[in-house]
Amino acid sequence: MNQAQAMPEQTGLNTPGSGIADIDAEPGSLHELVLQSLDDDQAQDIVSIDLAGKSSIADQMVIASGRSSRQVAAMAQKLAERVKAGGFGPVRIEGLPAADWVLIDAGDVLVHVFRPEVRTFYNLERMWGFGEGGNA
């Protein structure tokens, strides 16, 4: 799978079967904080794509789904609070009013949180070359 960690193995960060793919995240890193926050808020189908060497916009891209617009908005707001509280600085959030697709720019980590049908339509995993047709 090239440099992406997009295999849906269920090992999780803290509990077996927690929903986080087998993603290498350095302990104490922004990447780990993002993954843990999404897992804590019951995000679905979490995928992380390593952008290092492929793009100058960020080192990691994390893609996740929420069950509803309300959950997507809540996850994005909580993530922004946790990133700031973790000492990683403020984040920029786009798409919060509709909450179909929310982009959280945390600097080294870009996070896309979608409603499932919107995620399927845009299929970012495929755009970046990871995954053949659905969620990786």
Side-chain angles (χ1 to χ4, degrees), residues 1-133:
M1 290 225 146
N2 297 340
Q3 295 177 1
Q5 297 292 328
M7 297 188 331
E9 297 172 19
Q10 299 293 318
T11 59
L13 287 179
N14 58 3
T15 57
S18 68
I20 297 178
D22 186 15
I23 300 169
D24 292 328
E26 185 176 324
S29 69
L30 174 60
H31 187 217
E32 181 189 46
L33 185 145
V34 166
L35 295 171
Q36 191 62 60
S37 179
L38 292 170
D39 187 53
D40 290 348
D41 293 337
Q42 300 179 353
Q44 299 174 335
D45 302 321
I46 301 169
V47 174
S48 183
I49 299 172
D50 185 4
L51 299 179
K54 296 178 186 175
S55 175
S56 61
I57 59 172
D59 292 334
Q60 299 288 331
M61 179 186 300
V62 176
I63 304 169
S65 297
R67 292 180 298 278
S68 66
S69 295
R70 183 177 218 149
Q71 185 191 21
V72 168
M75 284 191 295
Q77 290 172 325
K78 284 267 206 164
L79 177 58
E81 292 169 11
R82 290 171 178 153
V83 168
K84 188 174 180 180
F88 294 101
V91 302
R92 291 188 303 258
I93 302 176
E94 296 290 333
L96 203 51
D100 289 330
W101 174 4
V102 178
L103 170 66
I104 302 104
D105 181 352
D108 290 338
V109 181
L110 290 178
V111 183
H112 298 270
V113 184
F114 291 96
R115 282 189 310 106
E117 54 276 2
V118 177
R119 181 176 179 172
T120 300
F121 179 79
Y122 287 103
N123 202 352
L124 291 184
E125 293 95 330
R126 186 168 154 222
M127 182 188 316
W128 283 89
F130 309 105
E132 291 304 314

